[in-house]
């Protein structure tokens, strides 16, 4: 018999995740276990414990992209745990590509289902760290912005009113004035590319990042291919204009944007560079250290849209 486990991030969406859970809880027909995450990576620890139990399990993540990322990281590689999300965050890039649920009725139907979907998630490896990603992994300007925004007092304050992106855009402008691009050595399935003056590289498993930016229009988690987008040799203010075009995918037409496809990527920077996986800080890559990205299988309860 399938086990139902719900992971809720009470802080996600400025409390919206908790409200949605209370609505769903009243209508659930199946017995369930519920877990509330209390700190960063708490859901990873819980999901790891769940994956150690051999019982078939439907694991429902209620929160934003960070919550979904933590749950999937915790049970990555497990074949008996099916993952599904009820989006309740500020960005929700996961739900732009993957089918998410909205009601207790959908959970009950999934509990009765005997089918699951095999897809792919990304794996990032560095000398000091290993992380998974569902959406994308990146190094450079975008990661620095995410790192600074997530630690911004203003973002937390604006989130209370549902306008957290205002703080994000403020950080973008600030970093535009101070960030220093770096040369990048990129290898795709063993093919080398030397790219100077790189602002950022992002390797994608699906199209979206940054709360709706369509950074990699061709990415599809169903296939066994990753796409990398590299932005280089562009002025600071043209880069700001570029971000405005990312929401509709027009940035790929610009000379400053290069797109690559492959099954594995390997890269290093000339300068120390901050990285992220699904918008979560994943450490700093020191000069000439290698980062490697590849794909691994994951079991889902629901397919892409």
């Amino acid at each position: 018999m399938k086990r139902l486990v719900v992971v809720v991030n009470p802080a996600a969406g400025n409390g919206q995740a908790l409200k949605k859970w209370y609505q769903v809880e009243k209508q659930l027909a199946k017995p369930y276990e519920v877990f509330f995450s209390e700190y960063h990576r708490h859901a990873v620890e819980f999901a790891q414990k769940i994956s150690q139990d051999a019982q078939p399990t439907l694991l429902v993540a209620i929160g934003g992209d960070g919550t979904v990322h933590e749950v999937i990281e915790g049970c990555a590689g497990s074949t008996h745990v099916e993952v599904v999300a009820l989006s309740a965050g500020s960005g929700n890039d996961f739900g732009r590509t993957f089918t998410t649920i909205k009601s207790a009725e959908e959970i009950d139907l999934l509990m009765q289902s005997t089918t699951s979907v095999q897809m792919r998630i990304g794996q990032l490896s560095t000398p000091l760290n290993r992380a998974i990603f569902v959406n994308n992994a990146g190094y450079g300007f975008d990661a620095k912005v995410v790192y600074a925004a997530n630690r911004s007092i203003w973002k937390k304050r604006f989130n209370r009113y549902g306008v957290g992106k205002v703080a994000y855009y403020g950080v973008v402008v600030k970093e535009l004035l101070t960030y220093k691009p770096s040369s990048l050595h990129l290898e795709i399935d063993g093919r080398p590319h030397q790219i100077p003056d790189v602002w950022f590289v992002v390797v994608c498993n699906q199209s979206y990042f940054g709360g709706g930016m369509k950074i990699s229009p061709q990415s599809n988690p169903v296939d066994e291919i990753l796409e990398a987008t590299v932005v280089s040799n562009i002025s600071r203010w043209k880069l700001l204009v570029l971000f405005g075009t990312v929401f509709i995918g027009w940035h790929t037409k610009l000379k400053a944007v290069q797109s690559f496809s492959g099954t594995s990527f390997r890269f290093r920077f000339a300068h120390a560079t901050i990285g992220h996986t699904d918008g979560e800080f994943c450490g700093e890559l020191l000069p000439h250290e290698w980062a490697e990205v590849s794909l691994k299988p994951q079991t889902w309860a629901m397919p892409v849209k």
Side-chain angles (χ1 to χ4, degrees):
M1 183 177 178
K2 194 182 295 185
R3 175 187 184 189
L4 174 59
V5 181
V6 182
V7 176
V8 183
N9 179 0
N14 194 32
Q16 287 301 311
L18 193 59
K19 292 179 181 178
K20 288 187 177 182
W21 162 240
Y22 288 147
Q23 294 171 358
V24 168
E25 181 186 26
K26 295 176 183 178
Q27 302 172 345
L28 273 179
K30 300 288 184 179
Y32 63 85
E33 301 168 45
V34 62
F35 169 81
F36 297 96
S37 62
E38 298 176 356
Y39 50 83
H40 181 57
R41 295 187 65 78
H42 197 189
V44 177
E45 299 170 8
F46 180 74
Q48 286 173 336
K49 293 179 180 178
I50 292 297
S51 65
Q52 291 170 2
D53 190 329
Q55 182 179 357
T57 301
L58 176 65
L59 189 55
V60 181
I62 302 182
D65 287 327
T67 307
V68 176
H69 173 93
E70 289 192 10
V71 167
I72 292 173
E73 179 178 345
C75 61
S78 173
T79 58
H80 60 278
V81 179
E82 299 174 350
V83 179
V84 69
L86 194 160
S87 296
S90 56
N92 298 324
D93 286 320
F94 178 88
R96 299 176 196 278
T97 295
F98 293 90
T99 301
T100 55
I101 58 172
K102 297 180 179 179
S103 67
E105 182 181 6
E106 290 177 283
I107 294 176
D108 291 334
L109 290 173
L110 288 172
M111 286 294 290
Q112 299 170 26
S113 173
T114 57
T115 61
S116 59
V117 181
Q118 285 294 318
M119 297 207 200
R120 299 290 183 272
I121 58 175
Q123 179 172 277
L124 169 71
S125 299
T126 68
L128 296 178
N129 190 27
R130 177 172 291 184
I132 66 95
F133 61 92
V134 181
N135 302 329
N136 44 66
Y139 278 85
F141 176 77
D142 64 321
K144 184 66 180 299
V145 167
V146 169
Y147 179 81
N150 286 341
R151 285 156 180 76
S152 168
I153 296 176
W154 290 106
K155 185 173 186 294
K156 295 177 182 178
R157 291 176 179 174
F158 285 135
N159 275 342
R160 296 175 187 172
Y161 304 99
V163 291
K165 287 184 179 179
V166 173
Y168 178 85
Y169 296 142
V171 172
V172 168
V173 174
K174 179 182 177 181
E175 293 299 329
L176 270 174
L177 299 174
T178 59
Y179 189 82
K180 296 181 179 180
S182 173
S183 62
L184 170 71
H185 182 85
L186 173 66
E187 294 182 5
I188 308 160
D189 295 334
R191 303 187 306 273
H193 301 267
Q194 190 68 35
I195 309 174
D197 219 15
V198 171
W199 281 86
F200 67 87
V201 55
V202 57
V203 182
C204 297
N205 188 40
Q206 64 111 311
S207 296
Y208 297 95
F209 88 150
M213 295 184 183
K214 202 170 186 179
I215 188 68
S216 182
Q218 302 304 316
S219 291
N220 187 338
V222 174
D223 61 24
E224 298 184 8
I225 300 294
L226 290 165
E227 286 75 27
T229 299
V230 179
V231 175
S232 64
N233 193 29
I234 187 172
S235 70
R236 298 179 187 276
W237 299 112
K238 284 185 179 179
L239 180 65
L240 185 59
V241 174
L242 180 148
F243 271 101
T245 68
V246 173
F247 287 97
I248 51 179
W250 287 1
H251 63 291
T252 57
K253 300 177 182 179
L254 302 177
K255 291 182 179 180
V257 179
Q258 298 182 66
S259 299
F260 305 91
S261 298
T263 58
S264 64
F265 292 80
R266 188 169 180 254
F267 55 86
R268 66 185 182 190
F269 288 89
H271 302 151
T273 309
I274 285 178
H276 75 88
T277 50
D278 293 340
E280 298 293 317
F281 174 67
C282 67
E284 186 176 39
L285 198 64
L286 297 179
H288 306 300
E289 286 185 340
W290 288 99
E292 299 182 6
V293 182
S294 58
L295 286 166
K296 62 186 300 183
Q298 174 67 41
T299 304
W300 305 92
M302 301 184 79
V304 296
K305 293 178 179 178

